[in-house]
Amino acid sequence: MMKVEKEIKTNQDIDVVMTIFSDPAFTIPQIFPGIASIKCIEPEIFEAEGKFLAFSYKVKGRVYKGVDEVRIIYDSDRGNGILYIRKKDNNTLQIILEHDNKLTAFLGKPYVSSNLDRLAENIDEIIRLERIKRKI
């Protein structure tokens, strides 16, 4: 089992950030390595395909929205897991990824960690551009 955890500080409105992160079309490519395509079958159900190292993979999942948490539960041909995005306070987001396949987790952890580090460094700009795109 892999667990990757990251706290990300933002100057953006945390409720807007949570709304954006509740959209899997935004969140999944930000977190998972090598996502090539993602489609939302319904606003809370998605399918994605990606390539990571030499492995192609497919992911299907569902988004559950709470008051201060977005939970994305997914199944893939490389293991299953849960992605938690929590509002810790008015300017801190906590992202936790738990993945159950040992080999994929071992290989993927540095890439997921790298994606989260990049997200943490650029969160305000990424969210600013996404707000412009969505007009929110």
Side-chain angles (χ1 to χ4, degrees):
M1 170 116 166
M2 165 182 74
K3 186 173 185 177
V4 180
E5 217 170 312
K6 183 85 177 169
E7 285 192 3
I8 297 177
K9 295 211 176 288
T10 180
N11 295 317
Q12 297 281 342
D13 180 327
I14 197 77
D15 293 323
V16 172
V17 172
M18 291 298 290
T19 298
I20 290 171
F21 270 94
S22 70
D23 178 358
F26 172 81
T27 304
I28 298 302
Q30 294 289 336
I31 310 290
F32 288 82
I35 292 291
S37 69
I38 183 162
K39 64 179 179 194
C40 295
I41 292 127
E42 291 176 31
E44 69 279 352
I45 298 173
F46 69 91
E47 290 178 358
E49 291 183 22
K51 188 167 184 170
F52 160 69
L53 299 174
F55 306 108
S56 293
Y57 66 95
K58 294 182 177 171
V59 181
K60 291 181 180 177
R62 175 180 279 274
V63 177
Y64 297 91
K65 299 175 198 172
V67 178
D68 291 335
E69 178 181 86
V70 174
R71 195 173 54 220
I72 299 174
I73 298 175
Y74 66 90
D75 299 321
S76 81
D77 47 10
R78 303 271 176 217
N80 310 315
I82 304 174
L83 177 63
Y84 300 94
I85 297 130
R86 294 188 177 125
K87 176 172 126 179
K88 206 162 176 214
D89 57 40
N90 282 334
N91 66 347
T92 309
L93 210 56
Q94 182 183 38
I95 298 178
I96 301 167
L97 176 66
E98 295 175 351
H99 188 81
D100 70 359
N101 181 301
K102 283 191 175 94
L103 177 62
T104 309
F106 174 74
L107 294 172
K109 189 171 184 173
Y111 293 93
V112 171
S113 294
S114 170
N115 284 356
L116 289 174
D117 290 345
R118 183 186 43 75
L119 187 62
E121 284 174 31
N122 303 307
I123 185 77
D124 289 332
E125 182 64 8
I126 290 168
I127 295 298
R128 187 183 74 77
L129 293 172
E130 198 63 25
R131 287 179 81 162
I132 291 167
K133 196 164 95 179
R134 296 169 187 243
K135 298 176 176 60
I136 53 176

